[in-house]
Amino acid sequence: MRLTFHGGAREVGRSCIEVETSGHRLLLDCGLKITTEGTEYPIGFEDNKKAKDIDAVFISHAHLDHTGALPWLDHKGMDCQIYCTKGTKALTRILLEDAFKVGKISHQHLGYEQADIKKVLNCMKRAKVLESGTFNSEIKFEFFDAGHIPGSTTVMLESEGKRLLYTGDLKTKETLLHRAGYTDFPKIDILICESTYGDRDHPSREKTQERLIDAVHETLERGGVPIIPVFAVGRAQELIMLLAKRSFGVPIYLDGMGIKVTEAALANPDSLRDAKQLEKAFARVSKIGGYKDRAAALRKGGIFVTTSGMLTGGPVLNYLKVLNKDSKNAILLTGYQGEDTNGRMLLEKGEIYIDGLKTKVGCEVKQFDFSAHDGMADLKELVRKISPKKIIFVHGDEGAVQNMVEWAGAMGYEAYGPELGDIIEV
Ligand SMILES: [Zn+2]
Ligand SMILES: [Zn+2]
């Protein structure tokens, strides 16, 4: 078996690993990376023949850093089955269509057409969690719940007498939205492990939840408006579940793509810890349908849960345009803020761009770690439990990957942290 790292190697973004067996070329994920210069795709597909030669793709979950290059490879001639869960397909549809729309509006050269998205979705073949399947009678595969976002999975492949496990993005601790990711795997020869948080741990989820609830109460008590920016997938659902259980005496609004994603998650509830509770929370929040609803909600006041999570676009900017000066208001960030995003600039300099204008923000700003990834201690626990022969760390920045490679090496594992384009024979 031979592994080629087309992306996601010592970086977070464009996850794409090729698994070559004696008869097949398979891809584990096929994502894109968004940088300040634009969109970056996996490397090594300059020759379209490479895309045409792919026999099957296995998708761990719907995030664009794992799916965003599918239409691009389709445009280059890839024509094969794409295995994923039903939940992943539903969310991939939403995210690919949104990425295409945003790309067109911002005049980006995407390298594919809308028809490619349609074809990709048609090629998606449903894989059920905990049910093994075979591809061309030679490759055995099985998907397991990853606890990361709705529909997310880890993927196990078996070929040539070797068993390979790819974690995708993983959360092995329970959250309000998801059960803990599955960890009772059979004997694994090769583990390809994400390492987003390979050099740091998360605070306790319960404490983070309490801190956020306290911040919402404090803001309301001083007559301010809490604005809670969320990622549409996962975070929006978790936050409305957290808030809707409590009584704040004001409406809770949900605005942006999180609405569509919640509907898709409820239609594919297998990976949810408690679909009934999400359904109740979704029924309780007021959904903002457009400009008029937004204006009415702003007049009435309340708690605003809205995309985008890093303030890079979406309705959150409409709210901030009106609410950013008042020191009674609070922006309660619920996740990691990427480099060169509005959210990062807000944390570091107290400024954001709204409609292209740099704006000094007067509201209180707080950040909360609701990460959907395992922290360093969780990753180490997972590696020890699986105890594979070989372990390869991906999906992490330089420091995070290096830290995990050194730790695993010291523990006696054969550990790798491949660079972009590297090939490893396993
Ligand atoms: Zn992810
Ligand atoms: Zn990812």
Side-chain angles (χ1 to χ4, degrees):
M1 225 185 248
R2 173 190 243 224
L3 307 177
T4 307
F5 297 84
H6 295 289
R10 296 198 178 238
E11 63 181 346
V12 177
R14 58 171 158 179
S15 283
C16 184
I17 302 158
E18 184 178 335
V19 181
E20 196 183 336
T21 66
S22 53
H24 298 98
R25 287 176 186 274
L26 315 168
L27 287 186
L28 292 168
D29 284 340
C30 190
L32 58 72
K33 184 177 182 181
I34 294 169
T35 69
T36 40
E37 277 95 60
T39 301
E40 285 179 2
Y41 291 116
I43 65 159
F45 293 100
E46 292 74 18
D47 180 356
N48 287 358
K49 191 179 174 304
K50 196 86 178 113
K52 287 179 188 141
D53 282 350
I54 300 298
D55 296 303
V57 183
F58 298 85
I59 294 291
S60 66
H61 67 291
H63 274 149
L64 287 174
D65 60 319
H66 300 259
T67 59
L70 285 169
W72 177 74
L73 278 191
D74 181 81
H75 200 76
K76 285 175 164 289
M78 183 173 81
D79 186 13
C80 63
Q81 282 176 343
I82 301 167
Y83 294 92
C84 64
T85 62
K86 197 165 155 265
T88 292
K89 180 176 177 176
L91 294 183
T92 300
R93 180 190 300 276
I94 296 172
L95 295 181
L96 287 183
E97 281 171 0
D98 182 66
F100 184 77
K101 204 171 83 187
V102 171
K104 282 281 156 196
I105 291 169
S106 55
H107 304 289
Q108 276 187 55
H109 176 69
L110 293 170
Y112 64 87
E113 299 298 328
Q114 196 151 23
D116 295 303
I117 297 178
K118 207 173 158 197
K119 233 190 95 212
V120 161
L121 293 167
N122 284 336
C123 288
M124 282 185 159
K125 203 170 152 56
R126 182 180 182 181
K128 283 189 180 169
V129 164
L130 293 176
E131 263 183 36
S132 63
T134 49
F135 172 72
N136 273 6
S137 72
E138 280 170 39
I139 315 278
K140 209 173 144 204
F141 62 85
E142 189 164 349
F143 287 67
F144 305 88
D145 203 346
H148 170 62
I149 59 164
S152 67
T153 52
T154 51
V155 183
M156 189 170 79
L157 296 180
E158 260 182 271
S159 175
E160 300 168 348
K162 283 183 185 136
R163 209 181 262 144
L164 178 149
L165 182 75
Y166 169 55
T167 63
D169 291 356
L170 184 68
K171 179 94 181 163
T172 60
K173 296 283 175 287
E174 187 182 82
T175 64
L176 282 178
L177 185 61
H178 292 296
R179 292 180 296 271
Y182 188 91
T183 59
D184 295 322
F185 301 105
K187 185 94 199 86
I188 298 295
D189 298 298
I190 306 127
L191 173 67
I192 304 177
C193 187
E194 73 126 311
S195 32
T196 322
Y197 287 85
D199 55 358
R200 55 208 191 277
D201 283 313
H202 302 301
S204 107
R205 193 62 141 226
E206 289 73 24
K207 286 220 172 75
T208 304
Q209 291 172 359
E210 278 170 33
R211 267 187 66 224
L212 181 106
I213 295 292
D214 289 348
V216 171
H217 277 302
E218 282 162 22
T219 310
L220 292 171
E221 275 159 23
R222 63 174 180 248
V225 177
I227 305 139
I228 308 181
V230 289
F231 307 133
V233 181
R235 203 61 40 85
Q237 293 75 44
E238 185 174 348
L239 265 291
I240 63 167
M241 285 174 92
L242 177 65
L243 295 168
K245 278 199 295 191
R246 289 159 177 85
S247 175
F248 295 98
V250 294
I252 301 166
Y253 299 102
L254 179 63
D255 197 350
M257 204 166 70
I259 297 173
K260 220 196 251 185
V261 170
T262 308
E263 285 163 352
L266 285 170
N268 301 281
D270 293 359
S271 70
L272 303 178
R273 189 178 63 84
D274 187 345
K276 278 266 168 304
Q277 209 194 325
L278 175 60
E279 207 176 327
K280 260 195 217 161
F282 192 49
R284 248 205 84 188
V285 298
S286 304
K287 274 77 81 183
I288 301 288
Y291 176 74
K292 277 189 184 162
D293 285 358
R294 213 165 281 146
L298 273 166
R299 276 196 302 275
K300 199 169 173 195
I303 302 164
F304 293 90
V305 179
T306 175
T307 49
S308 73
M310 297 188 197
L311 316 180
T312 45
V316 70
L317 295 178
N318 296 74
Y319 294 108
L320 287 179
K321 207 187 280 187
V322 181
L323 301 170
N324 81 79
K325 293 287 179 240
D326 192 338
S327 62
K328 292 203 291 291
N329 300 337
I331 304 172
L332 309 174
L333 299 164
T334 57
Y336 172 76
Q337 304 296 308
E339 263 176 61
D340 299 313
T341 61
N342 246 345
R344 178 71 74 91
M345 201 165 87
L346 178 66
L347 284 170
E348 288 174 354
K349 297 182 188 155
E351 295 169 340
I352 52 170
Y353 280 101
I354 302 178
D355 293 339
L357 292 173
K358 199 185 262 185
T359 311
K360 191 92 196 145
V361 172
C363 329
E364 182 185 31
V365 178
K366 282 186 173 174
Q367 190 180 23
F368 302 84
D369 180 346
F370 279 92
S371 175
H373 293 269
D374 265 353
M376 178 175 66
D378 310 319
L379 290 172
K380 289 179 178 176
E381 195 184 316
L382 178 80
V383 170
R384 276 194 294 257
K385 184 167 180 185
I386 295 176
S387 202
K389 285 191 189 125
K390 294 181 185 183
I391 176 158
I392 300 159
F393 292 101
V394 295
H395 198 291
D397 62 24
E398 189 69 41
V401 168
Q402 196 53 35
N403 190 51
M404 288 308 292
V405 169
E406 281 169 19
W407 170 79
M411 293 288 291
Y413 296 105
E414 191 180 326
Y416 301 86
E419 308 268 350
L420 209 52
D422 276 1
I423 292 170
I424 301 178
E425 299 279 351
V426 291

